[in-house]
Amino acid sequence: MAVGPAWAAAGACRRVLQRAFSLHKAHSVKNMETTLQLVRNIIPPLTSKKHKGQDGRIGIVGGCQEYTGAPYFAAISALKVGADLSHVFCTQEAAPVIKSYSPELIVHPVLDRPSAVPNVEEWLPRLHALVVGPGLGRDDTLLENVKGILEASKARDIPIVIDADGLWLVAQHPALIQGYRKAVLTPNHVEFSRLSEAVLRDPVDGSDHREAVRRLSQALGNVTVVQKGERDVISDGEQVLECAQEGSSRRCGGQGDLLSGALGVLVHWALHAGPEKTNGSSPLLLAAMGACSLVRQCSRQAFQKHGRSTTTTDMIAEVGPAFRILFET
Ligand SMILES: NC(=O)C1=CN([C@@H]2O[C@H](COP(=O)(O)OP(=O)(O)OC[C@H]3O[C@@H](n4cnc5c(N)ncnc54)[C@H](OP(=O)(O)O)[C@@H]3O)[C@@H](O)[C@H]2O)[C@@H](O)CC1
Ligand SMILES: Nc1ncnc2c1ncn2[C@@H]1O[C@H](COP(=O)(O)OP(=O)(O)OP(=O)(O)O)[C@@H](O)[C@H]1O
Ligand SMILES: [Mg+2]
């Protein structure tokens, strides 16, 4: 019959594709394991010789009338991962709300003041990393202040994680972070398309995530990009890594905020660890792989306990156990 050879050819083609896919998958898993081994190297040891602050002082820039949860999630996650101090720079209205969520956070109600930039600048010498965007909103005055904060942070060579509405700002003004090698962008699906269209001026090719992320990173002058999704794709414009750590099917809001806060700490640790610990790998790629794996592991563990009712708060409760499983066993 005429269908015989065509069917056989299709079968052979399917087998080749399946083999290529499983080889790619096996390769990715091996790469992930090798990378996670390096992530373990950058984690600072807990010793009695250190003083408060040495393991990380992280600043979160975000929090406005509508969004108080996002900066809280980012700031508390930074502490739970292992930072010593977590500061939130938010609007005056949001500050008492964020403070009331947790006595562990230091909250500065400055972001909507005319003096916002100098007020934040005062703290910059004491901060190891900044996370810009969770719950920031899109008010023009706030975004203008954040521009000034970004410029001041770059001038001090402070590592910057940019997420959520911080990415909205970068899509309007890519020059803000163009070529800044200590920046990491963490777009979700929508944010990634918006950035790609703004920077590359062409629609995203949805068929090749790895190449799309590499191109965006390269066009931004090798800023590290973490595209969150079913698999997280991470690139510095040269290398491309994928994080396929098992997570969960729960897609509640706030998981990206957990990622940005965790990443703030890991970026600081990775840069601080030095090249002998990172073995020639990009510190920011390692930090990104570590943070993505951690968030997904938290999601998996929380889902095992809470199923459909899992929320980001349940995931934050898993940061400690997930960290131990991934990085300390
Ligand atoms: N508790 C809090 O305080 C929280 C506050 N948050 C803060 O909210 C602010 C805005 O952030 P954001 O992420 O909602 O804005 P943005 O990217 O414009 O998405 C808007 C729309 O895009 C879509 N969409 C999203 N993902 C998609 C996907 N994978 N694939 C396809 N479509 C997708 C979806 O639209 P749909 O078409 O499904 O209606 C979605 O509604 C920011 O400050 C952030 O930090 C959050 O952190 C959560 C917790
Ligand atoms: N389809 C998916 N399957 C598994 N994990 C996913 C999936 N999509 C996203 N994630 C994981 O969820 C986390 C948050 O990604 P997400 O795309 O939800 O960010 P976000 O939209 O910025 O979240 P937020 O609500 O905090 O703003 C990341 O760690 C990512 O790996
Ligand atoms: Mg988000």
Side-chain angles (χ1 to χ4, degrees):
M1 269 208 312
V3 290
W7 182 83
C13 181
R14 203 166 43 241
R15 278 192 297 280
V16 169
L17 282 176
Q18 272 167 355
R19 185 157 170 273
F21 180 71
S22 56
L23 278 177
H24 175 70
K25 210 171 151 191
H27 191 60
S28 304
V29 169
K30 188 164 166 276
N31 280 347
M32 239 185 86
E33 199 27 62
T34 313
T35 311
L36 287 183
Q37 194 50 51
L38 289 172
V39 176
R40 291 178 192 115
N41 282 353
I42 63 156
I43 294 165
L46 291 168
T47 77
S48 58
K49 304 280 177 248
K50 284 184 182 166
H51 62 258
K52 176 180 62 183
Q54 271 188 291
D55 277 348
R57 294 183 293 263
I58 310 300
I60 312 294
V61 178
C64 62
Q65 189 187 26
E66 293 90 343
Y67 307 123
T68 53
Y72 162 77
F73 288 143
I76 200 77
S77 300
L79 285 178
K80 292 288 179 188
V81 167
D84 290 338
L85 293 164
S86 205
H87 294 253
V88 178
F89 301 92
C90 61
T91 65
Q92 297 176 73
E93 220 174 347
V97 182
I98 298 171
K99 282 180 206 263
S100 74
Y101 295 151
S102 167
E104 282 153 323
L105 306 180
I106 302 164
V107 184
H108 308 265
V110 297
L111 217 48
D112 51 348
R113 286 187 191 160
S115 57
V117 179
N119 286 163
V120 177
E121 222 172 345
E122 249 173 67
W123 284 92
L124 291 182
R126 282 169 274 179
L127 297 179
H128 294 119
L130 218 55
V131 179
V132 176
L136 176 62
R138 293 175 190 172
D139 175 87
D140 285 340
T141 313
L142 288 190
L143 295 181
E144 207 47 49
N145 289 340
V146 172
K147 273 191 197 171
I149 293 166
L150 285 173
E151 294 294 3
S153 307
K154 285 194 302 182
R156 292 189 166 273
D157 213 26
I158 294 174
I160 312 173
V161 175
I162 306 188
D163 186 34
D165 301 314
L167 296 171
W168 166 265
L169 178 63
V170 168
Q172 318 299 313
H173 307 281
L176 273 174
I177 51 99
Q178 179 76 37
Y180 188 57
R181 294 288 188 110
K182 288 193 179 173
V184 186
L185 311 188
T186 56
N188 65 18
H189 180 82
V190 174
E191 291 154 348
F192 184 82
S193 305
R194 194 184 290 133
L195 272 173
S196 292
E197 277 158 33
V199 174
L200 299 165
R201 304 202 174 278
D202 56 16
V204 178
D205 172 9
S207 64
D208 189 348
H209 290 294
R210 295 172 62 97
E211 181 55 13
V213 177
R214 197 194 62 75
R215 274 187 70 210
L216 176 62
S217 167
Q218 200 175 52
L220 285 168
N222 299 89
V223 160
T224 299
V225 176
V226 180
Q227 185 198 37
K228 298 172 289 192
E230 194 173 345
R231 285 162 163 250
D232 300 322
V233 182
I234 306 163
S235 180
D236 61 356
E238 287 163 16
Q239 267 186 285
V240 184
L241 300 176
E242 274 184 46
C243 178
Q245 184 78 27
E246 189 180 335
S248 85
S249 306
R250 188 72 174 104
R251 298 271 64 80
C252 56
Q255 301 183 45
D257 306 319
L258 199 173
L259 176 71
S260 63
L263 186 53
V265 186
L266 284 161
V267 162
H268 163 54
W269 287 352
L271 289 167
H272 191 69
E276 67 285 359
K277 298 271 184 180
T278 49
N279 199 21
S281 293
S282 149
L284 298 195
L285 288 185
L286 293 183
M289 183 63 115
C292 288
S293 305
L294 181 65
V295 173
R296 295 169 77 100
Q297 178 69 22
C298 288
S299 178
R300 178 184 179 183
Q301 290 177 198
F303 189 78
Q304 279 165 356
K305 291 185 187 165
H306 306 282
R308 195 179 284 274
S309 83
T310 302
T311 60
T312 299
T313 302
D314 301 317
M315 288 173 56
I316 288 166
E318 297 299 327
V319 169
F323 192 98
R324 266 196 300 279
I325 287 174
L326 287 177
F327 306 128
E328 293 179 320
T329 48

